[in-house]
Amino acid sequence: MTGVLASQQLKAMILDGRLSAQPAITDEQVQPASLDLRLGKTAYRVRASFLAGSGAKVEDRLKEFEMHRIDLSDGAVLEKGCVYVVPLMERLDLPSDIHAVANAKSSTGRLDLLTRTITDGGEEFDRVPAGYTGPLYAEICPRSFSVLVRPGMRLNQIRFRSGQAVLNDAALSALHAESPLVDAAPVISDGLGFSVDLKPEDGTLVGYRAKPHTGVIDLDNIAGYDAADYWEEVHSDTGRIILDPGAFYILVSREAVHIPPAYAAEMAPYLAMVGEFRVHYAGFFDPGFGHDAAGGAGSRGVLEVRCHEAPFVLEHGQTVGRLVYEQMDEVPEQLYGAGIASNYQGQGLKLSKHFRAA
């Protein structure tokens, strides 16, 4: 066994108790190459973000950093700028040859809702070592919008791997020659590079910028909000925009991306030396994303961009990140966008599913 575990393998791990939860894991949580994780009933408001550290339990560290507890049973607001830790319903009992990586779901990232997974003994965010047995926790920090959450909401997801299955540049080039991964000449260097689109075919709308003072977003309210109440449109007729320090933007890749069924991918941040910004919040790309066989015909990568300390000029075609491809251990029984609830197949520039068009 080498590669990312597919949906049918995750279901087998659920049946043998390697993945368990109270209440039980549902079929809707199982994605082509990952498992959605659900919030529990209590949120802990903490003084600061933290990791458990070697040999320590998150439960014990919460006693050091907890400010107060919030019962989520009837819904509760997590406020912008605050840090919360929420025990998740799922727990793991991993075999010695299976490790895991977690990430925010697409809609979570597009709301600038920083969500990371922490574990007992953990020394890194979103990383679960092979053989880990124990609970999972979500650290949640709303950055742009306060959000209303309830138990059972799925803000992050976890991907399981056996061995090392990342494609090197030679393998990636061969795969592109066999099944084109982008609709342009590939830029392959430690993964597949992608760039920002600031010259749309129609009009001048190139992205959105989060407004600084808005109302609460109920994460269960799909298409319930007018985008104009929460986002400013970003227009350019020059192929250039200036990113403001501290601001959060939704932009889109110039390339249309394909993930063949036997592969998965993860978005990795580009080298920090290219500019004062970060592109990377929700980084998993499932098998079948943008793929013809799953009805995708190419899908743009939505870029969740936060500018750091200094204003920065971003120009059309500038490389802003890369996709790291991995071999699946098995081809998933269900591909992204093929008969499952996939909100972003065939996408272009698109806000999260909570917003109506501006």
Side-chain angles (χ1 to χ4, degrees):
M1 179 186 291
T2 301
V4 176
L5 302 193
S7 53
Q8 62 270 23
Q9 295 171 294
L10 300 183
K11 290 177 180 178
M13 291 178 69
I14 294 167
L15 287 175
D16 68 16
R18 294 293 190 179
L19 309 177
S20 61
Q22 284 294 333
I25 296 171
T26 66
D27 288 342
E28 290 75 22
Q29 289 175 251
V30 181
Q31 302 299 322
S34 62
L35 178 74
D36 290 348
L37 302 172
R38 299 170 297 175
L39 299 181
K41 296 181 179 180
T42 305
Y44 296 82
R45 168 79 165 90
V46 294
R47 288 186 284 129
S49 172
F50 68 89
L51 290 163
S54 179
K57 292 185 176 182
V58 174
E59 183 179 29
D60 294 332
R61 302 307 303 274
L62 279 172
K63 296 173 184 175
E64 299 178 51
F65 302 116
E66 175 189 347
M67 297 173 68
H68 60 88
R69 302 180 190 187
I70 303 169
D71 185 356
L72 304 182
S73 299
D74 295 323
V77 173
L78 304 185
E79 296 187 15
K80 171 182 170 181
C82 298
V83 182
Y84 303 86
V85 172
V86 181
L88 297 171
M89 294 180 178
E90 289 71 33
R91 63 178 292 119
L92 306 180
D93 182 12
L94 296 183
S96 60
D97 60 342
I98 301 293
H99 61 283
V101 176
N103 218 314
K105 289 178 64 65
S106 294
S107 294
T108 307
R110 294 182 202 204
L111 289 174
D112 197 17
L113 191 56
L114 182 61
T115 303
R116 302 184 288 192
T117 301
I118 55 178
T119 63
D120 288 346
E123 297 181 292
E124 293 181 282
F125 290 108
D126 289 332
R127 297 292 184 269
V128 183
Y132 176 78
T133 296
L136 298 171
Y137 299 81
E139 180 197 273
I140 304 169
C141 180
R143 304 291 302 278
S144 290
F145 311 114
S146 295
V147 294
L148 179 65
V149 301
R150 300 176 183 85
M153 283 185 169
R154 296 178 279 172
L155 303 189
N156 54 348
Q157 56 194 333
I158 190 165
R159 180 174 279 180
F160 299 89
R161 300 179 170 112
S162 178
Q164 177 57 260
V166 172
L167 273 63
N168 61 26
D169 289 349
L172 201 55
S173 296
L175 178 60
H176 177 77
E178 174 189 327
S179 177
L181 304 177
V182 288
D183 61 347
V187 176
I188 296 176
S189 177
D190 291 328
L192 179 69
F194 58 89
S195 61
V196 63
D197 185 4
L198 297 178
K199 290 184 177 179
E201 292 183 6
D202 299 312
T204 61
L205 177 65
V206 297
Y208 299 91
R209 169 181 162 153
K211 290 186 173 182
H213 308 291
T214 64
V216 172
I217 295 174
D218 182 342
L219 297 185
D220 276 339
N221 192 357
I222 308 305
Y225 299 97
D226 186 339
D229 292 336
Y230 293 83
W231 300 92
E232 300 171 354
E233 293 187 348
V234 178
H235 290 266
S236 176
D237 55 10
T238 63
R240 174 187 303 156
I241 61 173
I242 297 178
L243 303 177
D244 289 327
F248 179 75
Y249 299 82
I250 296 293
L251 305 173
V252 70
S253 71
R254 185 174 61 163
E255 299 81 9
V257 177
H258 299 252
I259 312 294
Y263 299 86
E266 184 174 357
M267 186 186 296
Y270 202 57
L271 296 175
M273 66 186 70
V274 304
E276 285 291 324
F277 62 92
R278 164 183 165 158
V279 181
H280 176 53
Y281 283 83
F284 286 164
F285 286 69
D286 274 338
F289 180 86
H291 193 66
D292 292 342
S299 293
R300 304 294 183 95
V302 166
L303 311 176
E304 299 131 6
V305 178
R306 176 170 291 282
C307 185
H308 294 323
E309 287 82 4
F312 185 77
V313 176
L314 196 60
E315 305 199 53
H316 177 73
Q318 183 170 341
T319 300
V320 293
R322 67 191 196 279
L323 281 178
V324 177
Y325 280 72
E326 294 182 89
Q327 177 80 45
M328 295 294 297
D329 185 59
E330 296 180 7
V331 175
E333 292 176 346
Q334 188 81 62
L335 298 179
Y336 185 93
I340 59 176
S342 305
N343 292 291
Y344 305 116
Q345 183 70 295
Q347 71 182 353
L349 176 64
K350 188 174 181 179
L351 295 172
S352 79
K353 60 188 178 182
H354 305 91
F355 299 100
R356 301 184 296 271

